[in-house]
Amino acid sequence: MAEVSVPDISAASAENFSASPSNTIPPGSVGVVSPRFISFTEPLALASGQVLPSYELAVETYGVLNEQRNNAVLICHALNASHHVAGISADNPKDIGWWDNMVGPGKAVDTDRYFVIGVNNIGSCFGSTGPASINPATGKPWGGAFPMLTVEDWVRAQARLADRFGIDKFAAVMGGSLGGMQALSWAITCPDRVGHCIVIASTPRLSAQNIGFNEVARRSIISDPDFHGGDYYAHGTVPRHGLSVARMVGHITYLSDDDMATKFGRTQRAPADNGEFHYGYDVEFEVESYLRYQGEKFSTYFDANTYLLITRALDYFDPSRNYGGDLARALQGVAADFLLVSFTTDWRFPPARSREIVRALLKNKRPVTYAEIDAPHGHDAFLLDDARYHAVVQGYYDRIAAKLGLPERSRTTGVLA
Amino acid sequence: MAEVSVPDISAASAENFSASPSNTIPPGSVGVVSPRFISFTEPLALASGQVLPSYELAVETYGVLNEQRNNAVLICHALNASHHVAGISADNPKDIGWWDNMVGPGKAVDTDRYFVIGVNNIGSCFGSTGPASINPATGKPWGGAFPMLTVEDWVRAQARLADRFGIDKFAAVMGGSLGGMQALSWAITCPDRVGHCIVIASTPRLSAQNIGFNEVARRSIISDPDFHGGDYYAHGTVPRHGLSVARMVGHITYLSDDDMATKFGRTQRAPADNGEFHYGYDVEFEVESYLRYQGEKFSTYFDANTYLLITRALDYFDPSRNYGGDLARALQGVAADFLLVSFTTDWRFPPARSREIVRALLKNKRPVTYAEIDAPHGHDAFLLDDARYHAVVQGYYDRIAAKLGLPERSRTTGVLA
């Protein structure tokens, strides 16, 4: 398999792999990776009617694009993730990709065979153009003036990225949660460019409850006096209290009730000397300590404007909206094969939401594989090690490889090793 | 049945009923009611080790205490309710008691036969002594210095109230949610004083998830710059943003996902002229409008310190704590008969939590009636009209009346009329 030369991009893993002492790279890792920043100067017309004059996408790639350019996989990320899907960040050896258990040589998404692209969404805060970037019209950070993005806008930007790579059609577009929405949107809006669509722990649209929790998070951020209408960069402030509360409430919805019971239960953090409570509002229970820590940590690295923007994009997503709520009609034009995975204890996007997509696809006679994984970890399960889940995904990618005539799997690593 | 004279208290309903034009009183209503404020000068030693030097309880009563004083029912309230259980507030004709559909002449809790007491918890903001009351030691509002209360503290204060009424034993102690915890605690801590214990939509203890949501609410309030460590009265501020977000997240947990889907779905509040979204952070969806309204309204009448205090009391409640987590052992001494009711779509305190109490009671061979009501309304169902639910409660009170030799039901009104 010959490597195809792609203008201004080379395979990150291959070159960095050798640059790093091999004894620090665990088997199945793509190795040490660095992002590339790819500029797009053609304006992007957005669903909102606004136009983003130009933008940059932060990208990581793993594996090698083959000569036929038919082995490419696009991985779309969820709310708080990035282009750093797999491997060890060159900047920080502790920064492992968010789907490293899924993507790598010999793993479910096997970078020995597939060329995998991780891309940071526009509006995010991990390298692609976002609210903290400089607005070329003012020379200052966009802040509250950054345009609203939708899932469809992200897909359009990603399609341009595919063009830049010379990829006409992805072997698969894949994502979990919001990433799954992007994969679904790819299949709808670019039917000729998606061979297989892999939608994990996702939903065809948010419920009122989902929107309600997002709105709680946004109110918390927007009513923080340090928010300054989104222009806190100029004020030298960060709405960290609001962002912290937003993250706490979000985090609860990612975990199952049972999982929280198992992890924390009613365990006291540091009981008084007599074993009693302290009777105050400082931390009494482990779960409080955990949530506060998660909230505070998040508020140190995540951008509040990005949180607002991405939760709003989640709210807006609803491909059935222009079809009177009929998802089957929205999916009439799709040409991809589908894999859907849901998790029994995911109460954010429960199995019923995935089944809704499955039913709509079956109505359109699309080939669908659906796995409902009995896992205790709630919505977060899509990021975690689970042999049955990873086996389903691995099996599906093996079938894709066989269909496309890609080489046989040469090793098995990761969760299934 | 002769009315027993109770020092400094008379039956609120009887006297006010006649003072109001009868055509404004719907059948089954206890009529126009006013609270009484009853002072207790004996200090109350609290679980926290602190002592409340004196306190006042806001109380409403309906019906007439009989000569044997064996027809008294105590109604305990949940987080944001009060002593105003039934009837029409004399101050405000729109202010109907929070359990008016349950309590009244001919209703499930039949005030033709029972003498019903509604009492506001200490620490609340509806008339009983609380954080906004004057601290006698300083002559200023207690604010952040108000002592922490527990469910057991409330029960002890309520027992003193029963003493004041000359009630040795309640025919029933009853409550929903936090009120159910108080009823359960009554049965445990005052076994000789509770004939029947009615625990609705409650739990023997909060889960980690429950505590997590409470902690989100508290962080939101405490990190509001207008909170001033709880001493906002002195600063002339109200942490209304924090309280509003707290209420929004609480409110979501009171409703079921399905109920929110039915009530709001993804309906847009006021679409743009072209039917599209506005692409911003103002209200787009009905559910956002509803939650913001609920949050903002709440922040105008509820006290933030009370919200903190009551959520903390919820967190602390766990009668099994001193018995190695064994609820059956904690209930070993109870002498009451029990009715438990849960609602299928209540994900805050789901049926499994009620069943836990049922099992622990059965281990102790206590007579238990348990009803699991298939209702769509989530935790809030305990406050709503539901004929099956009200029939269960009414039937149970009819049995109590028969056992105690109270007069037959003379009429049926309310949900079951």
Side-chain angles (χ1 to χ4, degrees):
Chain A
M1 192 185 345
E3 184 178 354
V4 172
S5 91
V6 174
D8 78 5
I9 295 158
S10 58
S13 57
E15 72 180 32
N16 289 297
F17 214 83
S18 53
S20 168
S22 64
N23 60 353
T24 66
I25 308 295
S29 172
V30 299
V32 176
V33 295
S34 298
R36 313 300 160 96
F37 299 92
I38 305 176
S39 292
F40 296 82
T41 52
E42 194 191 337
L44 188 69
L46 305 173
S48 66
Q50 288 192 268
V51 174
L52 196 63
S54 62
Y55 57 97
E56 208 169 54
L57 294 180
V59 173
E60 282 184 13
T61 67
Y62 325 109
V64 179
L65 185 61
N66 64 13
E67 204 162 354
Q68 304 92 311
R69 297 179 190 245
N70 71 348
N71 71 333
V73 171
L74 179 69
I75 306 270
C76 304
H77 69 75
L79 203 162
N80 63 328
S82 73
H83 52 281
H84 182 37
V85 175
I88 301 157
S89 174
D91 291 343
N92 174 4
K94 289 187 176 165
D95 182 12
I96 306 298
W98 57 271
W99 228 349
D100 189 77
N101 59 7
M102 183 70 88
V103 176
K107 289 185 178 167
V109 184
D110 184 358
T111 54
D112 287 341
R113 301 189 287 174
Y114 290 101
F115 175 67
V116 176
I117 302 175
V119 54
N120 191 215
N121 287 346
I122 297 172
S124 180
C125 49
F126 295 117
S128 291
T129 299
S133 305
I134 298 300
N135 177 351
T138 65
K140 291 177 182 161
W142 281 95
F146 194 78
M148 194 72 69
L149 273 285
T150 65
V151 169
E152 289 76 13
D153 293 329
W154 285 323
V155 169
R156 225 167 311 119
Q158 289 160 5
R160 287 192 186 169
L161 181 68
D163 295 343
R164 193 71 67 86
F165 277 94
I167 297 164
D168 288 335
K169 182 174 184 173
F170 283 105
V173 179
M174 174 181 185
S177 192
L178 169 62
M181 291 177 176
Q182 293 171 69
L184 185 61
S185 181
W186 260 99
I188 294 170
T189 62
C190 308
D192 301 337
R193 305 192 72 173
V194 184
H196 299 79
C197 180
I198 302 179
V199 178
I200 298 175
S202 195
T203 177
R205 68 185 76 78
L206 293 202
S207 69
Q209 188 190 71
N210 295 148
I211 295 173
F213 279 124
N214 280 349
E215 176 64 3
V216 167
R218 285 191 296 262
R219 280 300 97 195
S220 177
I221 291 168
I222 289 173
S223 64
D224 186 323
D226 287 333
F227 179 67
H228 297 292
D231 294 325
Y232 45 89
Y233 319 107
H235 287 79
T237 60
V238 170
R240 66 183 184 86
H241 289 307
L243 188 55
S244 175
V245 168
R247 176 60 169 177
M248 287 170 73
V249 69
H251 205 92
I252 296 174
T253 70
Y254 303 150
L255 306 178
S256 74
D257 189 21
D258 280 356
D259 196 32
M260 290 184 83
T262 306
K263 271 189 183 138
F264 310 110
R266 297 180 51 84
T267 306
Q268 287 172 250
R269 175 69 175 168
D273 289 341
N274 59 0
E276 285 299 312
F277 293 118
H278 299 278
Y279 294 103
Y281 301 120
D282 285 341
V283 163
E284 290 272 21
F285 297 97
E286 285 287 356
V287 65
E288 295 175 294
S289 170
Y290 175 80
L291 289 173
R292 283 194 200 185
Y293 173 78
Q294 292 295 332
E296 280 162 23
K297 190 179 71 170
F298 190 72
S299 74
T300 63
Y301 73 84
F302 205 84
D303 185 75
N305 282 318
T306 293
Y307 204 88
L308 297 177
L309 184 152
I310 296 189
T311 57
R312 207 38 149 176
L314 278 157
D315 291 355
Y316 286 142
F317 183 68
D318 179 11
S320 76
R321 188 164 172 272
N322 293 330
Y323 299 90
D326 185 344
L327 186 63
R329 279 180 57 213
L331 294 174
Q332 237 161 16
V334 303
D337 291 6
F338 274 78
L339 169 63
L340 284 104
V341 181
S342 71
F343 301 92
T344 49
T345 58
D346 181 354
W347 61 278
R348 182 178 169 85
F349 298 154
R353 309 279 171 81
S354 287
R355 276 187 243 123
E356 215 181 313
I357 302 174
V358 170
R359 274 195 303 272
L361 289 165
L362 291 178
K363 268 196 185 171
N364 286 299
K365 306 200 189 314
R366 293 311 314 156
V368 187
T369 302
Y370 174 53
E372 201 166 298
I373 306 288
D374 187 8
H377 303 297
H379 187 60
D380 262 1
F382 88 87
L383 296 167
L384 301 178
D385 290 351
D386 183 306
R388 291 158 307 171
Y389 160 42
H390 282 244
V392 166
V393 176
Q394 179 156 326
Y396 197 75
Y397 271 96
D398 286 349
R399 276 163 56 193
I400 299 174
K403 277 202 270 186
L404 296 176
L406 304 182
E408 292 277 305
R409 177 178 290 275
S410 62
R411 51 180 157 172
T412 294
T413 59
V415 178
L416 297 174
Chain B
M1 191 185 347
E3 184 178 350
V4 172
S5 89
V6 175
D8 81 4
I9 295 158
S10 57
S13 57
E15 71 182 32
N16 290 298
F17 213 84
S18 53
S20 167
S22 64
N23 61 352
T24 66
I25 309 294
S29 172
V30 299
V32 176
V33 294
S34 298
R36 313 299 160 95
F37 299 92
I38 304 177
S39 292
F40 295 82
T41 51
E42 195 191 336
L44 187 70
L46 304 173
S48 65
Q50 286 192 270
V51 174
L52 196 62
S54 63
Y55 59 97
E56 209 169 51
L57 294 179
V59 172
E60 282 183 13
T61 67
Y62 325 110
V64 178
L65 185 61
N66 66 11
E67 206 163 351
Q68 303 93 312
R69 298 178 189 246
N70 72 347
N71 71 333
V73 171
L74 179 68
I75 307 271
C76 304
H77 70 74
L79 203 163
N80 64 327
S82 74
H83 51 282
H84 183 33
V85 175
I88 301 156
S89 175
D91 291 343
N92 175 5
K94 289 187 177 166
D95 182 11
I96 308 297
W98 57 271
W99 227 348
D100 189 77
N101 59 7
M102 183 70 88
V103 176
K107 288 183 178 169
V109 184
D110 184 357
T111 54
D112 288 339
R113 301 188 286 173
Y114 292 101
F115 175 67
V116 176
I117 303 174
V119 54
N120 191 212
N121 288 345
I122 298 172
S124 181
C125 50
F126 295 118
S128 292
T129 299
S133 305
I134 299 300
N135 177 350
T138 65
K140 291 176 184 165
W142 281 95
F146 194 77
M148 194 71 70
L149 273 286
T150 65
V151 169
E152 289 76 13
D153 293 329
W154 285 324
V155 169
R156 224 168 308 120
Q158 290 161 3
R160 287 191 187 172
L161 180 68
D163 295 342
R164 193 68 70 87
F165 277 95
I167 297 164
D168 288 337
K169 184 175 184 174
F170 283 105
V173 179
M174 174 181 186
S177 193
L178 171 61
M181 291 177 175
Q182 293 172 70
L184 185 61
S185 181
W186 259 98
I188 294 169
T189 61
C190 308
D192 301 336
R193 305 191 73 172
V194 183
H196 300 80
C197 179
I198 303 178
V199 178
I200 299 175
S202 194
T203 177
R205 68 185 77 76
L206 293 202
S207 69
Q209 188 191 69
N210 295 147
I211 296 173
F213 279 124
N214 281 348
E215 176 64 4
V216 167
R218 286 191 295 263
R219 280 298 98 196
S220 176
I221 292 169
I222 289 173
S223 64
D224 186 322
D226 287 332
F227 179 67
H228 297 292
D231 294 325
Y232 45 89
Y233 319 105
H235 287 78
T237 59
V238 169
R240 65 184 186 85
H241 289 307
L243 188 55
S244 176
V245 168
R247 175 61 169 177
M248 288 170 73
V249 69
H251 205 92
I252 297 174
T253 70
Y254 303 150
L255 305 178
S256 73
D257 189 21
D258 281 357
D259 196 32
M260 291 185 82
T262 307
K263 273 191 182 134
F264 311 110
R266 297 179 50 84
T267 306
Q268 285 171 251
R269 174 72 174 167
D273 289 341
N274 58 1
E276 284 300 313
F277 293 116
H278 298 279
Y279 295 102
Y281 302 120
D282 286 341
V283 163
E284 291 271 21
F285 297 96
E286 285 288 357
V287 65
E288 294 174 293
S289 170
Y290 175 80
L291 289 173
R292 283 194 201 185
Y293 174 77
Q294 293 294 333
E296 279 162 24
K297 192 179 71 171
F298 190 72
S299 73
T300 63
Y301 73 84
F302 205 85
D303 186 75
N305 282 318
T306 293
Y307 204 88
L308 297 177
L309 183 151
I310 296 189
T311 56
R312 206 40 148 175
L314 278 158
D315 291 355
Y316 286 143
F317 182 67
D318 180 9
S320 76
R321 188 164 172 273
N322 293 329
Y323 299 90
D326 184 344
L327 186 62
R329 280 179 56 211
L331 293 174
Q332 237 161 16
V334 303
D337 290 7
F338 274 77
L339 169 63
L340 285 106
V341 181
S342 70
F343 300 92
T344 48
T345 57
D346 181 354
W347 61 279
R348 182 179 170 84
F349 298 153
R353 308 278 170 82
S354 288
R355 277 187 242 122
E356 215 182 313
I357 302 174
V358 170
R359 274 196 302 272
L361 288 165
L362 291 177
K363 268 196 186 172
N364 287 298
K365 306 200 192 310
R366 292 312 313 157
V368 188
T369 302
Y370 173 54
E372 201 165 299
I373 307 287
D374 188 9
H377 302 297
H379 187 60
D380 262 0
F382 88 89
L383 295 168
L384 301 178
D385 290 352
D386 184 305
R388 293 158 303 172
Y389 160 42
H390 282 245
V392 166
V393 175
Q394 179 157 324
Y396 196 75
Y397 271 96
D398 286 349
R399 277 164 54 191
I400 299 174
K403 276 203 267 185
L404 296 176
L406 303 181
E408 292 277 305
R409 176 179 290 274
S410 61
R411 50 180 158 174
T412 294
T413 60
V415 178
L416 297 174

